């Protein structure tokens, strides 16, 4: 099935970010790895032993190698060489009671030893940790063990990710308060990605559930996220794009969690998404034009130097 997804993405010019494991029980997640460890006689006190137990880490490395070296049965291309894959994600929303930097360092280095062709990101939500303790005031009122700065400073990590769910993180706050939090959340992560990490940042998940809010509030949230991204990208800043959670097509409602967007059924939201796509595409075309001019000028200069010498 994944071979087909990759093949269809390739046909349609879509670039994929493939997540290698989930923090949560959906699709197995770290809980399944912990259970496998117990079945091998390991003393596992919690699912967070996923990050420290040597046997479990070996299981995860086996998984990395199996996926990256798999040859697609449709395209005939190994996943590690597949241009339709833009990046790998180590884990969706890693959360643990302690900083997982050592695990990230180990697994990022291992993955890159097999695949140097693709970008790599952690899968972080963006919560600040002990490395910048003064920034913990920018978090919602809970801690999950991750550290946006320290975890993304690991050399093998190519770009940062941020998730944004003010309705989940601030459930007792009104829409205005959630919007104010979101605006600040976006700004500080763009600034830190540009000035501290010096890496691009992708707003990899955001949304607002229509089970608890009208579509107008969701549209306002989308517009807030997209405005911050576009303003940064237009100025050559760190913001590289945004991916809302989650895109559905007709007939998928049984899988819905309130955050789904069906373009044919959510006209106002679809319009905001299309407008953002067009604006970022214009920036992309401008960047490519400038890059090509620079390459041409550089090549032209080299030829002149050759003649002169």
């Amino acid at each position: 099935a994944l071979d087909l997804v990759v093949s269809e993405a390739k046909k349609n010019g879509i670039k994929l970010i493939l997540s290698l494991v989930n923090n949560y029980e959906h699709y197995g997640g770290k809980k399944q790895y912990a259970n496998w460890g117990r079945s091998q006689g390991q003393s596992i006190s919690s699912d967070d032993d996923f990050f420290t137990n040597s046997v479990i880490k070996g299981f995860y490395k086996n998984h990395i190698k199996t996926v990256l070296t798999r040859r697609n049965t449709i395209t005939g291309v190994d996943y590690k060489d597949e241009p339709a894959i833009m990046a790998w994600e180590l884990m969706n929303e890693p959360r643990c009671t302690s900083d997982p930097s050592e695990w990230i360092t180990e697994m990022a280095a291992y993955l890159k030893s097999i695949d140097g062709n693709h970008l790599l990101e952690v899968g972080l939500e963006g919560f600040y940790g002990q490395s910048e303790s003064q920034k913990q005031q920018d978090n919602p009122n809970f801690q999950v063990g991750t550290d946006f700065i320290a975890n993304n400073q690991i050399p093998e990590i190519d770009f940062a990710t941020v998730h944004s769910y003010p309705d989940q993180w601030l459930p007792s706050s009104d829409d205005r308060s959630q919007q104010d939090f979101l605006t600040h959340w976006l700004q500080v992560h763009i600034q830190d990605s540009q000035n501290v990490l010096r890496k691009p940042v992708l707003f990899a998940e955001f949304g607002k559930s229509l089970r608890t809010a009208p579509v107008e509030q969701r549209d306002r949230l989308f517009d807030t996220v997209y405005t911050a991204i576009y303003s940064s990208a237009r100025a050559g800043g760190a913001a590289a794009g945004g991916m809302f959670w989650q895109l559905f097509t007709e007939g998928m409602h049984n899988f819905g969690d309130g955050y789904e967007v069906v373009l044919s059924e959510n006209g106002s939201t679809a319009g905001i998404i299309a407008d953002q796509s067009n604006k970022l595409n214009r920036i992309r075309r401008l960047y490519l034009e400038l890059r090509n001019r620079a390459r041409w000028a550089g090549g032209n200069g080299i030829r002149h130097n050759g003649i002169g010498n």
Side-chain angles (χ1 to χ4, degrees):
L2 187 57
D3 288 351
L4 178 62
V5 169
V6 174
S7 174
E8 289 298 303
K10 193 171 189 173
K11 288 179 184 177
N12 291 280
I14 294 172
K15 298 293 185 180
L16 302 171
I17 299 176
L18 298 182
S19 187
L20 290 162
V21 70
N22 197 10
N23 179 69
Y24 312 107
E25 293 184 33
H26 308 291
Y27 316 112
K30 67 182 180 185
K31 184 179 183 64
Q32 179 60 66
Y33 278 87
N35 289 338
W36 282 330
R38 292 186 183 98
S39 72
Q40 295 297 311
Q42 297 296 299
S43 177
I44 305 299
S45 60
S46 78
D47 293 347
D48 282 351
D49 287 355
F50 170 89
F51 298 101
T52 57
N53 182 275
S54 60
V55 172
I56 293 177
K57 288 193 293 183
F59 292 162
Y60 180 71
K61 286 181 178 179
N62 289 344
H63 175 59
I64 290 176
K65 184 176 181 179
T66 300
V67 174
L68 270 58
T69 60
R70 175 180 176 81
R71 175 152 296 181
N72 192 308
T73 58
I74 300 172
T75 67
V77 178
D78 290 356
Y79 276 45
K80 64 184 178 63
D81 299 320
E82 175 53 66
I85 298 172
M86 185 188 96
W88 300 105
E89 178 176 276
L90 288 179
M91 187 177 204
N92 173 55
E93 297 189 349
R95 292 185 175 191
C96 60
T97 53
S98 59
D99 186 345
S101 289
E102 290 187 12
W103 180 85
I104 296 168
T105 299
E106 180 179 351
M107 298 308 169
Y110 179 75
L111 187 148
K112 288 283 190 171
S113 73
I114 300 173
D115 180 359
N117 296 323
H118 291 104
L119 300 173
L120 177 63
E121 47 99 348
V122 182
L124 297 170
E125 296 160 274
F127 303 122
Y128 290 99
Q130 292 299 320
S131 69
E132 297 282 347
S133 57
Q134 75 279 6
K135 287 187 172 292
Q136 289 182 316
Q137 65 183 0
D138 296 323
N139 292 338
N141 191 28
F142 57 86
Q143 300 292 331
V144 298
T146 55
D147 189 318
F148 178 73
I149 300 298
N151 298 160
N152 282 310
Q153 283 179 323
I154 294 167
E156 289 81 7
I157 300 304
D158 297 301
F159 63 95
T161 60
V162 177
H163 296 183
S164 305
Y165 291 109
D167 60 345
Q168 291 186 23
W169 299 347
L170 306 170
S172 60
S173 299
D174 60 19
D175 181 62
R176 177 62 181 271
S177 298
Q178 292 175 7
Q179 280 287 131
D180 290 344
F181 168 84
L182 175 63
T183 299
H184 183 70
W185 182 254
L186 297 166
Q187 291 172 348
V188 295
H189 284 87
I190 291 173
Q191 292 168 2
D192 287 338
S193 298
Q194 183 162 330
N195 300 326
V196 180
L197 298 176
R198 299 186 181 277
K199 296 180 180 182
V201 59
L202 176 68
F203 291 91
E205 283 189 32
F206 60 89
K208 187 155 192 163
S209 174
L210 295 188
R211 293 178 180 176
T212 57
V215 68
E216 291 80 12
Q217 290 186 9
R218 183 175 69 181
D219 286 351
R220 189 155 52 243
L221 181 143
F222 273 48
D223 187 63
T224 298
V225 175
Y226 283 157
T227 297
I229 292 170
Y230 177 69
S231 296
S232 175
R234 183 179 58 182
M243 303 189 297
F244 60 89
W245 181 264
Q246 59 180 327
L247 178 63
F248 275 17
T249 189
E250 297 86 349
M252 295 180 64
H253 295 89
N254 288 341
F255 299 95
D257 58 2
Y259 292 87
E260 65 274 7
V261 176
V262 180
L263 298 179
S264 62
E265 298 174 2
N266 303 119
S268 59
T269 310
I272 295 170
I273 295 167
D275 182 59
Q276 177 77 352
S277 297
N278 289 330
K279 290 195 297 186
L280 289 182
N281 199 38
R282 285 195 292 270
I283 293 176
R284 176 179 173 273
R285 289 199 301 268
L286 177 61
Y287 168 77
L288 290 174
E289 181 180 344
L290 293 173
R291 187 181 67 178
N292 290 337
R293 286 182 182 178
R295 287 178 174 175
W296 181 88
N300 199 35
I302 291 172
R303 287 193 294 273
H304 282 306
N305 289 338
I307 293 172
N309 290 334

